[in-house]
Amino acid sequence: MATRRPRHPGAIPRARGAHRDDSVAAVRASIAGYDAAADVANVFRALADPTRVRILHALSIAELCNGDLASVLGMSESAVSHQMRELRLMKIVSAEKRGRMVYFRLTDAHVRRIFADTLRHVREGRAPRPHGGQEA
Amino acid sequence: MATRRPRHPGAIPRARGAHRDDSVAAVRASIAGYDAAADVANVFRALADPTRVRILHALSIAELCNGDLASVLGMSESAVSHQMRELRLMKIVSAEKRGRMVYFRLTDAHVRRIFADTLRHVREGRAPRPHGGQEA
DNA sequence: TTGACACTTGAACATATAATCAACTATCGT
DNA sequence: ACGATAGTTGATTATATGTTCAAGTGTCAA
């Protein structure tokens, strides 16, 4: 049933729940011209991993190189590098090569805000908490 | 190599890259008291799927029930319901039962902002297609 | 009560993903 | 040039995720 149309209780064409059908039509129209879903999802996906969140937290404090990140997060340089690749692809972090080091930083204030807003969402008790958190 | 400490080229205690070590120390301290990574990642994970992004886009326009969403998105009610479960768990959408219908809406302005900021990030050309774009 | 409707849930399966290991490139000091 | 350092990349593997299908709950009309 690709296009099942739910009949609301009243079922009268535009009675009590009439505005509903208008809403559905409006949404249907807007959905048609909305092709950014995959791109938006990809950005969220790049943020949807505890390791990458920790990386972003670290980079929100200071610009760091791959080895620093590996050290600070207690994981292999390879693992970090793989993750940085994703974050770079999504333009969430930017890389600058100096000598044989590569320094990473958050791309812009935009990214900081998305990150901060989500942290606030969590802190406001909107998402399940293992135990009360601290922040930087 | 849980805690490998990258030695920078100069290797002189506080030469050219001296401020780096201070940065690393600061980050290390902040990471220690940062346990929200998993929660934050969970919220992002709930947003990290094209279907759920489309659902959020639809709900940003109007409050809709499960069947409406299935209809508008062209997918099964079961699939939608499974996704709504995740979105509800993360408090990204709220549900209100009226009779045998369940109406969904975005939880708050917070969610709208995260969503809008990320859409802007994408629109600004920051995020390439699913496979597109190589850079720097 | 009966049947239809609106939605939820559990199991199963195909795909996607993150860490590991090993091999690779590039840069620096000597 | 050589060896050491800093990062990247490909293959592999265990785990996670999204959809489908089938069966379930709760609500409403007749």
Side-chain angles (χ1 to χ4, degrees), chain A residues 4 6 20 28 30 57 61 63 71 77 89 91 108 113 117 120-121 126 128 130-131 133-134 136, chain B residues 2 4 20 28 30 33 35 39 57 61 63 68 71 77 90-91 108 113 117 120-121 126 128 135:
Chain A
R4 183 148 93 64
R20 301 258 94 248
R28 200 181 297 273
S30 178
H57 172 74
I61 299 168
E63 177 187 85
S71 167
E77 294 186 22
L89 258 175
K91 306 294 177 64
D108 57 22
R113 193 161 69 169
D117 281 344
R120 212 171 302 142
H121 181 81
R126 322 228 80 121
H131 61 62
Q134 296 287 329
Chain B
R4 180 148 96 63
R20 300 260 95 249
R28 200 180 297 274
S30 180
D35 59 351
D39 295 338
H57 172 74
I61 299 168
E63 177 187 85
D68 284 339
S71 167
E77 294 184 23
M90 288 301 137
K91 305 294 176 65
D108 57 21
R113 193 162 69 169
D117 282 343
R120 212 171 301 142
H121 180 81
R126 323 227 78 122
E135 171 125 6

Side-chain angles (χ1 to χ4, degrees), chain A residues 6-132:
Chain A
R7 286 295 62 192
H8 301 192
I12 304 109
R14 68 187 65 67
R16 215 187 61 229
H19 70 94
R20 301 258 94 248
D21 288 329
D22 292 347
S23 295
V24 171
V27 171
R28 200 181 297 273
S30 178
I31 285 275
Y34 183 70
D35 58 350
D39 295 337
V40 171
N42 272 330
V43 173
F44 283 132
R45 193 185 46 72
L47 302 170
D49 177 82
T51 292
R52 289 194 288 270
V53 168
R54 279 152 50 84
I55 288 173
L56 294 178
H57 172 74
L59 293 181
S60 74
I61 299 168
E63 177 187 85
L64 295 170
C65 65
N66 195 79
D68 283 340
L69 283 167
S71 167
V72 163
L73 301 176
M75 51 190 305
S76 75
E77 294 186 22
S78 177
V80 170
S81 186
H82 276 294
Q83 304 293 19
M84 297 319 289
R85 186 172 169 281
E86 304 227 358
L87 292 173
R88 281 206 270 184
L89 258 175
M90 287 304 137
K91 306 294 177 64
I92 291 163
V93 307
S94 304
E96 185 191 346
K97 186 164 184 176
R98 294 206 284 271
R100 51 184 146 171
M101 322 281 288
V102 177
Y103 288 98
F104 297 105
R105 72 188 69 158
L106 299 185
T107 293
D108 57 22
H110 230 134
V111 171
R112 284 176 191 277
R113 193 161 69 169
I114 294 168
F115 192 62
D117 281 344
T118 304
L119 184 60
R120 212 171 302 142
H121 181 81
V122 167
R123 295 249 184 270
E124 281 174 7
R126 322 228 80 121
R129 289 176 295 188
H131 61 62

